[in-house]
Amino acid sequence: IMESKPKLHLEEKIIYYGRLRRAIDRISHQIEDVLDFIRPSTLHFENHLVNEIIAAALEKIVKPDTVTINLPSNFVYVICDGIKMEVVLTNLVMNSIQAMNNSGQIDITLSDMPNDVLIQVSDTGCGISNDILPKIFDPLFTTKQTGTGLGLASCKKIVEQHRGMITA
């Protein structure tokens, strides 16, 4: 549009640049999802404070003022790949925000059990219908118009690489 209209006003150019930037961000995110899902990755296991991983994930998210995130009050350590687990938590929180239409409450809780660590992310969204629920971790399954269907599939892959399981 900008090329076909060389005499655009500055205000119009700003609007078009904003649209262009959003389109680039969207396609970049989709390409990263595909690459993260298909390329083999080596995990780097170290002892991490899960609370720090949660904080790092939340720094990557634009949270609307209408969303409240309640963080765990306890502190839990786990041996994991911190970067990969950050990807999981970022994905889960972003999905929660979208499921609540950018308004509601997200609770993140931690349970330190003898052989496992349980991380729960719950939200006040409407929930997932029973016909969709069994498919949400399947690659390429999405209910979003601009989604790739790889977010939760990637989460599942990462959690299973940690010899864990993810459920909804």
Side-chain angles (χ1 to χ4, degrees):
I1 292 173
M2 291 172 63
E3 287 177 349
S4 67
K5 297 180 180 180
K7 295 184 180 184
L8 286 174
H9 291 66
L10 180 60
E11 297 84 18
E12 293 172 304
K13 285 182 181 179
I14 291 170
I15 290 168
Y16 287 128
Y17 278 126
R19 288 180 184 165
L20 183 61
R21 182 172 305 283
R22 284 189 301 277
I24 290 169
D25 288 345
R26 220 176 16 254
I27 196 161
S28 295
H29 176 71
Q30 291 175 339
I31 290 169
E32 282 300 314
D33 278 352
V34 170
L35 291 176
D36 286 343
F37 187 75
I38 62 169
R39 68 180 151 211
S41 60
T42 304
L43 299 181
H44 303 285
F45 290 95
E46 295 179 0
N47 198 26
H48 289 278
L49 181 61
V50 178
N51 308 70
E52 289 178 353
I53 296 172
I54 294 168
L58 294 178
E59 284 178 11
K60 292 181 170 43
I61 296 170
V62 178
K63 181 188 78 64
D65 292 337
T66 52
V67 170
T68 303
I69 300 177
N70 296 317
L71 299 174
S73 56
N74 58 326
F75 295 93
V76 175
Y77 284 88
V78 68
I79 295 174
C80 70
D81 183 315
I83 302 296
K84 296 292 185 184
M85 290 309 297
E86 185 181 316
V87 168
V88 170
L89 288 162
T90 300
N91 243 313
L92 295 177
V93 172
M94 284 178 23
N95 281 2
S96 287
I97 291 170
Q98 292 167 0
M100 300 184 306
N101 292 319
N102 298 323
S103 180
Q105 179 176 302
I106 299 170
D107 295 310
I108 303 173
T109 59
L110 300 174
S111 301
D112 194 358
M113 301 183 313
N115 297 315
D116 295 307
V117 169
L118 177 65
I119 304 169
Q120 290 180 289
V121 179
S122 59
D123 61 60
T124 56
C126 63
I128 303 168
S129 66
N130 287 334
D131 59 325
I132 291 174
L133 193 58
K135 304 173 192 170
I136 64 170
F137 295 108
D138 292 349
L140 306 180
F141 177 80
T142 185
T143 59
K144 299 174 189 169
Q145 195 167 0
T146 58
T148 60
L150 293 174
L152 288 177
S154 293
C155 289
K156 182 179 184 212
K157 180 180 173 186
I158 292 168
V159 170
E160 287 176 348
Q161 287 176 321
H162 283 80
R163 287 180 252 112
M165 66 178 187
I166 186 167
T167 61

